[in-house]
Amino acid sequence: MSKIFAFHGGIHPPENKKQSTRSPIRPAPVPAQLTIPIQQHIGAPAKPCVKTGDYVQKGQLIAKAQGRISVSIHASSSGTVTDISPKAVPHPSGLNAPCISIQTDGKDEWIDHQGLDDYRSVPKQTLIEYIRDHGIAGMGGAGFPTDVKLHLGDDHIVNTLIINAAECEPYITADDMLIRERAEQIVGGIEIINYLLKPTHILIGIEDNKAHAIRVLEDALRHTELNIDIIVVPTKYPSGGEKQLIRLLTGVEVPSGHIPADVGIVCQNIGTAAAINQAVNYGTPLISRIVTVTGGAVSKPQNLEVLIGTPINTLLETARINHDQLSRLVMGGPMMGYTIENDSIPIIKTSNCIIAATAEEMPPAPPAQACIRCGLCEQACPAELLPQQLYWFAKSKEFEKAKHHNLFDCIECGACSYVCPSNIPLVQYYRFAKNEIRAEEAEQRKADQARLRFEARQARLEQDKVDKETRRKERAAQAAAAQAIKKTTLETAQTNPEDQIKQLKTAAAVTRTKLKKALSALEKAKAESSDDIAQLDLQYKQAEHAAEEAQTALEAAEKGALVSAATSNAPDIKQLKTQAAVARTKLKKAQQALKMAEEKGHDGVETLRATVAELETKAANAQQAFADAEASNSSSGAASQSSAMLQEAADKALQTLQKAEAALATAIENNSPAADKMQAGVEKLKSKYTEALSALQDNAKTQQPSIQQATGQQAIERKPIDLKALKQNVSIMRTKLKKAEKLLEATDENSAEASELQQEITRLTQLHQEAKAQLDAEEAIRIKAAAAQGIDLKQLKIDAALARAAATKLQRSIKKEQESEQNNLDALQAELITAQQQADKLTHTLSQFE
Amino acid sequence: MALIRITSPHVHKPVNTAGIMRLVILATLPGLLAMTFFFGWGTLINIIWASLLAVTFEAICIKARNRPLYFYLKDYSAILTAVLIALALPPFVPWWLTAVAVFVAIVVAKQLYGGIGQNPFNPAMVAYALVLISFPLEMTRWTAPFMLQGDGWNILGFVDTLQLIFGGWSEHADAFTSATPLDVMRHRGGLTTEEAWRASDVLANVGAWHAVSAAYFMGGILLLYKKIFSWHTPAAVLISLGAMSTLFYVISPDTYADPFFHLTVGGTILGAFFIATDPVSSATSNKGKIWFGIGIGVLIFTIRTWGNYPDAVAFSILLMNLAAPFIDQYTQPRTYGHKAPNSGLKGKA
Ligand code: SF4
Ligand code: SF4
């Protein structure tokens, strides 16, 4: 039996659970009208896929999940859809929300359904999809879509699965009764979750006030091979809160702002496990649930199996409500549930309890007195907050202070309100403060966005103006230049091979179009067996000839250009590549045409064959030219390209590694059981990173000579290694080294770890030095390069900084000037502009070297 | 069906502020009995007189501030303050001194600051400190324990006591007065503690004070058991005072009184359990309460040993009241899921 790790605070309200566990779970009657909200879960509402008047069968999909976090909705009984419109739904806000109403026909006719024969044979993805399609959402409280949690195995290392059966709220016994009567369903569900998440161990947390259920569960678990521990925790509210239960069972705290999966834990409600079992093994979607109907105003408190969408009054009638005594109707438990004013509200997937309370049971709260700072709330708070301070801050609207006192870690459990002797509705204050802060933040975000938009617009307008101006100037200059050039280049233009090719291309295209036209005309004529076929034939032949001529001219010109391009200093690889590709396509087309012609036995086959052959050589030529050009280029370009890629890969690996290491550190700190597994993961990542690094280094080595040879000018253009990355690398090494050294200090000198650490430090020192050397070399190259251009990089840096400072100073004095409304503003502004220009120029020059 | 929207939680622990106050008042009973047994009727008469005044002053203030009278009166907080004042004052102080003290406590220290829950200083201690400074003569005129007098009960009956308090001080009463043990210890001239113990009647009869402290201690334990306050403040006060006095006693037993003396005479126990634990004016978190208590303990020893006033509980508590908001800033508890507590005025959001 595992150890239990107590959490701070907690309270012991009267349990009131016995009343509803006396009789077994009974099915509630099928109501005449079902009202099924399309959002019963956290996330996006499902999208109705039936319309008014449709006949639906029990279990039929009536609204489909939309988006990643959503759940499908099914008809809970057979009948006719009468209406899809907003209705009152169970929600603390009391607002209306869209519902699908079904007039039941009393036949309760099932749609064909069937579970998976062997879920282990389906891909996990499909299985999770299947669960999602069967509308499973968390049945404990918030109704978080279950499939999302089942995906957590993909990107988290899950080593503990916690099944929440604590049911710590007073009155509620739905889970208790479920375990007593349907333990085998629960075990089946746990097996499925286990298959999907592969945790190393599974814990079921249950409060010690459910002796019967614990016995049954123990029996049921004898038949499973899974490694499941039932952990009985002392009855204390709110031990069933997710965070509290995790702490109770594992001693791990979920870091603020994180989800349990971040520390390797996934929680599922026990009812959800049963629902998963029903869906996967029997194909039954989530269309009913167990609801505790209890409270002093019902004479037969009990648990009912209720169809989703059944109005609450049906249940109250079944449990023999006494309307005269009813004073408060609570959905959920007395600590966190909410009151409902309207008993026609339907049961949804998350409704676990209905309390029809009498006035004696839940008397109206007496008026709040002043807080006497007695600290009882603080002793009760499971989140270890200072509720009294939060209350003062919320009351005085000092939200910053409230946030500083971790208001957002409040789980709204109500323990503080429960114990407050002054009857202060503390939770209400926290809800208010949270809402206010959220609204404020949203407002702030909106304002920020608006400001950004405005600034961007201003900048754009400014830029537009500048652009227009430059464009205008450019145009003017161009016009002048063109005028001058036109005279002199009329002839020389002819000799420009590119222009020539362009012209030729157009000519060829024109002739081709003509040819086509001629051909179609000819064909038309032939079809109509008109008289002027002969003439058309002639025209066509002429056109063909012209086209051929144009084409040859073009090809010749292109060849010439190609040759000149190949021999020129900078072979345009891209163009060559395109040409090769074009040639290949042409070839392919020709080949196809040839094939077709051959099949049909046309007489043009021979010519086509010739074309194909020609094209083949052309394609080969083009490919060759491309390959040559590339080869000559790759010695420099490709190498640096691949090195950049490698660098990127290494960087990425490092990032992942660092993230994993950080996670591991938190895990170890929190004593998370996940630590071991995470350690393994980190090792793997480390080796990956080293691989990437060594690949990079190999690559760098092959490049080394060329770097050293490179003159300054080349080095600038090449930019093979990012200076920033290098710098970062050095600092990372330094921090790592320091850390290791610190660790060494802390460990025993003679221990094995110490020597290991010593080794590690030596290694790190080396790495650090290497990195530094690399950085220095790189910087030296840059300085040299700059020097080659007669620029002292250091001086440049200083100058740039000075210029920037001068500009800022001027800006400041302008501001002052503006305030004092003196009139040498213009002069100052002009000065500022020059200063800014100077700074910009220097920065720009500098950036060329960095 | 008329159902109204009410937010959770829907159940409430059957406790209320008035109940807590009543319980604290009840817990002073053993102390009151011991006081009466050893020092006569004076304390009881003072309690009744102070309570009447307190309720009156409180009522006037609440009316003046336009608040619901009964709602505020029924919280018993004024009566508790009155009881604490009366227990702290010498048993035979004249009636007007009590009246001044209660006026200061209720009107100035509490209502002017905004009533219950708003006062930065403990009202009873503000009052005590004020009258101690203003009327040193009356405040140091303690009666010698009746045990000392042998037939004290016959000499100073209930009616005599009433006369003494409301009629004015008579020569006749001087026979009963004596300094407190703390006084004797503080102003013992050149004597060593050893010699002082032998020379003084008062110190010879210190047992009466021990007994009163024991009675308060019982009441305090009852409140601890009832979880009216947590152990942090009283434990910190007593342990730090004990540690301080032990340290100095070990260094020089001739100059400094022993720790047991420090813990059991004067208002130490009453202060540690009934006044320092006043939640309104103390630090908030458990950690804060420990610092708060340590401060009080250290100050008590310091003022008693080197200061001018022999009894230092009131000043120590007031000084620490002053420091409580500051302590609060740096002693937030570590919230679930956080590595370290936030501290200071503002930190990372
Ligand atoms: S329990 Fe109520 S009265 Fe006591 S400190 Fe908390 S909020 Fe104030
Ligand atoms: S409602 Fe919030 S502040 Fe109150 S006890 Fe629960 S977690 Fe603590």
Side-chain angles (χ1 to χ4, degrees):
Chain A
M1 190 97 294
S2 297
K3 207 179 132 202
I4 290 171
F5 306 82
F7 62 90
H8 178 266
I11 51 171
H12 298 93
E15 291 178 20
N16 284 312
K17 291 195 184 234
K18 295 256 158 13
Q19 300 92 315
S20 53
T21 53
R22 282 190 211 110
S23 52
I25 302 172
R26 266 190 286 254
V30 178
Q33 183 85 26
L34 288 165
T35 311
I36 306 178
I38 59 168
Q39 181 172 27
Q40 306 177 19
H41 48 264
I42 286 180
K47 189 165 176 247
C49 54
V50 290
K51 51 187 192 308
T52 310
D54 283 359
Y55 179 77
V56 291
Q57 282 172 303
K58 183 173 187 169
Q60 184 178 332
L61 181 73
I62 53 174
K64 194 147 175 40
Q66 291 287 305
R68 205 173 102 72
I69 299 181
S70 183
V71 165
S72 294
I73 311 275
H74 303 76
S76 327
S77 185
S78 58
T80 316
V81 176
T82 52
D83 181 26
I84 302 177
S85 67
K87 298 249 163 62
V89 295
H91 192 274
S93 71
L95 294 176
N96 288 0
C99 298
I100 298 175
S101 304
I102 297 172
Q103 172 100 52
T104 55
D105 59 6
K107 293 191 201 126
D108 212 19
E109 216 171 12
W110 266 101
I111 196 167
D112 275 346
H113 66 289
Q114 179 185 6
L116 299 170
D117 290 333
D118 179 12
Y119 61 82
R120 287 184 182 82
S121 62
V122 237
K124 281 188 187 176
Q125 188 54 43
T126 323
L127 182 54
I128 294 175
E129 213 43 56
Y130 190 84
I131 291 172
R132 171 178 156 115
D133 289 342
H134 281 71
I136 315 288
M139 297 171 73
F144 193 77
T146 301
D147 58 286
V148 180
K149 276 191 179 177
L150 296 177
H151 271 303
L152 286 171
D154 301 350
D155 46 2
H156 288 82
I157 301 163
V158 176
N159 55 17
T160 310
L161 169 66
I162 291 180
I163 302 294
N164 188 347
E167 204 165 47
C168 59
E169 275 246 27
Y171 286 94
I172 311 178
T173 56
D175 288 346
D176 187 1
M177 294 307 288
L178 175 79
I179 299 171
R180 290 192 202 187
E181 298 188 14
R182 302 174 189 177
E184 75 297 338
Q185 290 184 8
I186 293 165
V187 177
I190 295 176
E191 278 169 354
I192 298 167
I193 304 172
N194 173 66
Y195 167 71
L196 286 169
L197 291 177
K198 294 264 178 293
T200 37
H201 58 304
I202 304 171
L203 307 172
I204 301 181
I206 185 164
E207 278 191 345
D208 59 9
N209 58 2
K210 303 186 218 347
H212 186 165
I214 294 168
R215 263 201 319 279
V216 175
L217 206 51
E218 272 166 356
D219 280 343
L221 290 180
R222 275 199 200 108
H223 308 301
T224 168
E225 281 139 37
L226 291 182
N227 170 22
I228 304 181
D229 279 326
I230 300 178
I231 304 208
V232 181
V233 300
T235 299
K236 175 164 97 168
Y237 177 85
S239 63
E242 190 174 67
K243 291 181 168 182
Q244 276 64 41
L245 189 65
I246 288 174
R247 180 164 164 93
L248 269 174
L249 302 192
T250 66
V252 173
E253 286 188 5
V254 183
S256 175
H258 286 257
I259 57 168
D262 293 337
V263 286
I265 297 169
V266 171
C267 270
Q268 289 285 4
N269 177 265
I270 200 149
T272 317
I276 291 177
N277 178 70
Q278 295 311 95
V280 172
N281 290 327
Y282 303 96
T284 321
L286 182 50
I287 52 166
S288 71
R289 66 156 299 141
I290 299 171
V291 181
T292 308
V293 184
T294 183
V298 295
S299 53
K300 286 208 156 98
Q302 57 187 306
N303 279 279
L304 294 168
E305 166 120 39
V306 184
L307 296 176
I308 304 295
T310 307
I312 286 167
N313 50 28
T314 311
L315 309 186
L316 293 177
E317 293 308 328
T318 314
R320 306 268 168 78
I321 178 84
N322 186 340
H323 280 287
D324 303 333
Q325 291 195 336
L326 179 63
S327 94
R328 198 186 299 197
L329 201 49
V330 177
M331 189 150 208
M335 296 304 298
M336 292 182 80
Y338 44 89
T339 53
I340 42 187
E341 298 106 88
N342 175 347
D343 66 358
S344 63
I345 281 181
I347 288 292
I348 60 171
K349 290 175 183 177
T350 54
S351 323
N352 47 10
C353 184
I354 302 290
I355 306 172
T358 59
E360 296 84 61
E361 233 177 340
M362 295 184 185
Q369 282 167 286
C371 168
I372 53 167
R373 299 169 61 88
C374 63
L376 290 175
C377 47
E378 173 193 346
Q379 310 299 339
C381 176
E384 289 163 80
L385 299 166
L386 293 174
Q388 70 273 53
Q389 301 292 80
L390 290 177
Y391 158 68
W392 285 104
F393 298 144
K395 200 173 163 188
S396 55
K397 301 198 176 161
E398 291 173 273
F399 297 135
E400 270 310 311
K401 283 195 190 158
K403 272 202 282 189
H404 186 47
H405 278 69
N406 299 327
L407 171 66
F408 280 90
D409 286 294
C410 165
I411 55 171
E412 296 180 21
C413 67
C416 49
S417 304
Y418 177 77
V419 296
C420 177
S422 287
N423 291 306
I424 302 170
L426 294 165
V427 183
Q428 218 165 312
Y429 278 98
Y430 308 149
R431 287 194 189 116
F432 159 75
K434 284 183 186 177
N435 283 339
E436 287 290 299
I437 292 172
R438 283 195 199 107
E440 215 171 74
E441 278 170 358
E443 199 67 22
Q444 188 58 42
R445 262 200 305 281
K446 246 199 259 162
D448 281 349
Q449 271 162 4
R451 189 172 50 76
L452 284 181
R453 259 203 309 276
F454 176 73
E455 280 172 3
R457 194 179 118 86
Q458 284 295 335
R460 211 172 46 238
L461 289 180
E462 204 65 21
Q463 190 60 40
D464 277 356
K465 231 193 254 164
V466 175
D467 283 355
K468 235 185 235 160
E469 186 58 26
T470 39
R471 265 206 303 277
R472 195 186 61 72
K473 274 190 191 146
E474 265 172 25
R475 263 204 307 278
Q478 266 173 4
Q483 214 76 39
I485 290 167
K486 222 178 196 168
K487 285 175 204 153
T488 54
T489 47
L490 255 173
E491 285 118 77
T492 48
Q494 214 75 25
T495 58
N496 185 343
E498 258 167 54
D499 283 354
Q500 217 178 1
I501 292 176
K502 229 185 235 160
Q503 272 172 8
L504 281 171
K505 258 187 193 157
T506 335
V510 170
T511 46
R512 262 205 305 277
T513 340
K514 269 190 194 156
L515 178 61
K516 243 187 220 154
K517 258 192 202 152
L519 186 65
S520 66
L522 180 61
E523 261 161 18
K524 208 167 147 198
K526 265 187 190 159
E528 289 167 6
S529 54
S530 104
D531 310 324
D532 42 14
I533 289 181
Q535 212 196 330
L536 278 173
D537 212 8
L538 194 70
Q539 268 179 11
Y540 171 62
K541 289 250 164 72
Q542 275 172 355
E544 204 174 29
H545 188 66
E548 258 162 33
E549 245 169 53
Q551 191 63 32
T552 14
L554 174 60
E555 269 160 22
E558 264 181 345
K559 222 178 251 166
L562 206 81
V563 171
S564 73
T567 50
S568 81
N569 295 345
D572 191 345
I573 299 178
K574 228 191 213 162
Q575 209 179 329
L576 282 174
K577 205 175 176 181
T578 337
Q579 276 170 359
V582 169
R584 266 201 308 276
T585 346
K586 268 190 194 159
L587 177 60
K588 239 185 226 153
K589 259 195 201 146
Q591 274 168 339
Q592 263 168 7
L594 176 60
K595 214 169 166 195
M596 241 156 68
E598 271 175 347
E599 267 165 23
K600 288 186 184 160
H602 268 298
D603 23 44
V605 172
E606 280 314 312
T607 30
L608 271 173
R609 235 178 235 155
T611 328
V612 168
E614 199 183 314
L615 280 171
E616 255 165 12
T617 40
K618 241 196 227 167
N621 278 348
Q623 189 64 37
Q624 184 61 37
F626 169 59
D628 283 352
E630 211 182 27
S632 69
N633 222 27
S634 63
S635 48
S636 52
S640 78
Q641 216 174 27
S642 69
S643 108
M645 251 156 62
L646 282 170
Q647 179 74 44
E648 204 174 297
D651 283 351
K652 230 190 216 157
L654 183 62
Q655 262 171 18
T656 338
L657 176 61
Q658 276 166 347
K659 242 193 227 159
E661 271 176 343
L664 176 61
T666 3
I668 291 178
E669 225 161 84
N670 296 338
N671 282 329
S672 160
D676 286 349
K677 235 179 177 181
M678 284 167 89
Q679 177 85 47
V682 168
E683 290 307 329
K684 225 195 257 163
L685 283 173
K686 253 189 202 154
S687 68
K688 254 193 204 161
Y689 173 53
T690 3
E691 258 170 45
L693 216 56
S694 68
L696 177 62
Q697 271 161 2
D698 285 351
N699 188 287
K701 253 179 228 153
T702 54
Q703 255 184 286
Q704 207 67 8
S706 72
I707 290 178
Q708 277 162 4
Q709 281 166 14
T711 63
Q713 187 61 39
Q714 270 170 341
I716 292 162
E717 281 173 357
R718 195 170 40 82
K719 278 196 191 166
I721 299 166
D722 188 3
L723 205 57
K724 239 193 218 155
L726 275 176
K727 266 185 202 165
Q728 240 168 24
N729 211 0
V730 173
S731 79
I732 286 171
M733 287 299 161
R734 204 171 33 232
T735 359
K736 270 198 187 160
L737 188 59
K738 275 213 190 115
K739 243 193 215 159
E741 274 169 354
K742 227 185 238 164
L743 215 61
L744 179 62
E745 260 170 47
T747 47
D748 187 8
E749 256 182 65
N750 304 322
S751 69
E753 287 130 79
S755 68
E756 236 169 70
L757 270 172
Q758 193 62 54
Q759 274 174 9
E760 173 79 1
I761 287 178
T762 344
R763 197 178 63 84
L764 279 172
T765 322
Q766 213 174 340
L767 277 177
H768 177 213
Q769 269 160 5
E770 266 171 35
K772 223 165 134 191
Q774 214 178 346
L775 175 64
D776 287 348
E778 205 46 43
E779 257 179 343
I781 288 173
R782 268 153 233 252
I783 291 173
K784 229 201 282 170
Q789 291 199 334
I791 297 168
D792 184 350
L793 197 58
K794 247 188 216 155
Q795 192 55 46
L796 191 60
K797 258 186 203 167
I798 298 170
D799 287 349
L802 279 179
R804 268 198 301 270
T808 334
K809 215 170 168 188
L810 272 169
Q811 249 165 353
R812 229 176 274 145
S813 54
I814 287 185
K815 214 186 219 164
K816 230 191 253 157
E817 251 1 273
Q818 275 171 338
E819 271 156 26
S820 61
E821 290 179 32
Q822 283 189 4
N823 31 17
N824 46 357
L825 212 60
D826 286 345
L828 270 174
Q829 235 144 14
E831 222 176 302
L832 172 64
I833 288 165
T834 30
Q836 261 168 347
Q837 274 169 354
Q838 176 72 12
D840 284 349
K841 213 167 86 195
L842 280 170
T843 320
H844 181 69
T845 329
L846 189 59
S847 72
Q848 282 180 336
F849 293 97
E850 295 244 84
Chain B
M1 190 173 51
L3 294 174
I4 43 162
R5 181 161 296 276
I6 302 155
T7 55
S8 63
H10 304 284
V11 285
H12 196 269
K13 196 174 182 180
V15 287
N16 58 50
T17 302
I20 288 180
M21 300 284 176
R22 272 202 305 266
L23 198 63
V24 178
I25 294 171
L26 205 72
T28 61
L29 258 185
L32 172 64
L33 286 180
M35 284 288 281
T36 310
F37 183 71
F38 290 109
F39 297 100
W41 295 108
T43 308
L44 184 65
I45 294 170
N46 277 343
I47 283 184
I48 295 167
W49 170 230
S51 300
L52 282 173
L53 286 171
V55 172
T56 315
F57 288 142
E58 177 107 333
I60 293 170
C61 286
I62 292 171
K63 263 267 132 353
R65 294 177 61 213
N66 245 332
R67 303 287 150 105
L69 187 59
Y70 176 66
F71 181 76
Y72 278 100
L73 275 188
K74 71 168 196 240
D75 65 21
Y76 280 86
S77 61
I79 296 179
L80 177 59
T81 303
V83 168
L84 292 176
I85 292 175
L87 286 174
L89 291 177
F92 297 102
V93 285
W95 62 271
W96 51 263
L97 193 140
T98 308
V100 171
V102 172
F103 177 83
V104 170
I106 299 294
V107 179
V108 180
K110 182 178 171 190
Q111 292 293 346
L112 284 189
Y113 278 101
I116 182 170
Q118 309 276 358
N119 45 298
F121 298 100
N122 180 296
M125 287 302 103
V126 173
Y128 184 85
L130 188 108
V131 290
L132 182 60
I133 296 169
S134 314
F135 312 106
L137 184 65
E138 284 78 4
M139 286 299 287
T140 43
R141 226 159 26 186
W142 271 76
T143 19
F146 273 19
M147 307 290 280
L148 207 65
Q149 310 295 321
D151 54 353
W153 285 101
N154 302 329
I155 302 168
L156 213 58
F158 187 74
V159 182
D160 297 327
T161 313
L162 273 180
Q163 261 172 10
L164 202 57
I165 291 174
F166 291 95
W169 198 257
S170 64
E171 290 306 308
H172 155 78
D174 270 346
F176 305 97
T177 61
S178 79
T180 64
L182 278 170
D183 250 335
V184 175
M185 206 35 109
R186 178 79 190 97
H187 303 119
R188 61 174 189 264
L191 300 179
T192 63
T193 42
E194 195 49 50
E195 290 159 346
W197 278 109
R198 257 183 275 116
S200 162
D201 295 354
V202 177
L203 290 183
N205 280 286
V206 76
W209 295 86
H210 291 337
V212 171
S213 283
Y216 282 135
F217 189 76
M218 274 165 53
I221 295 297
L222 170 77
L223 293 181
L224 260 185
Y225 173 74
K226 284 280 185 183
K227 295 209 170 108
I228 298 303
F229 48 73
S230 64
W231 54 267
H232 302 82
T233 315
V237 172
L238 298 182
I239 290 173
S240 62
L241 176 60
M244 273 289 269
S245 46
T246 308
L247 180 73
F248 282 90
Y249 185 65
V250 168
I251 291 173
S252 170
D254 282 348
T255 347
Y256 301 104
D258 60 293
F260 186 70
F261 178 81
H262 269 295
L263 290 175
T264 52
V265 301
T268 309
I269 299 290
L270 178 68
F273 282 95
F274 289 88
I275 298 170
T277 51
D278 164 26
V280 177
S281 52
S282 104
T284 307
S285 66
N286 291 343
K287 225 188 321 174
K289 283 179 194 151
I290 288 180
W291 285 113
F292 181 76
I294 289 176
I296 293 176
V298 169
L299 281 173
I300 290 179
F301 183 82
T302 310
I303 300 176
R304 273 185 186 172
T305 313
W306 299 294
N308 263 332
Y309 290 93
D311 204 358
V313 174
F315 294 115
S316 307
I317 291 178
L318 287 176
L319 280 172
M320 289 315 287
N321 284 166
L322 200 64
F326 173 77
I327 294 175
D328 279 346
Q329 304 291 1
Y330 291 94
T331 51
Q332 273 192 44
R334 184 201 62 99
T335 302
Y336 178 108
H338 286 253
K339 279 220 187 73
N342 293 342
S343 83
L345 283 171
K346 237 178 101 177
K348 51 193 164 53

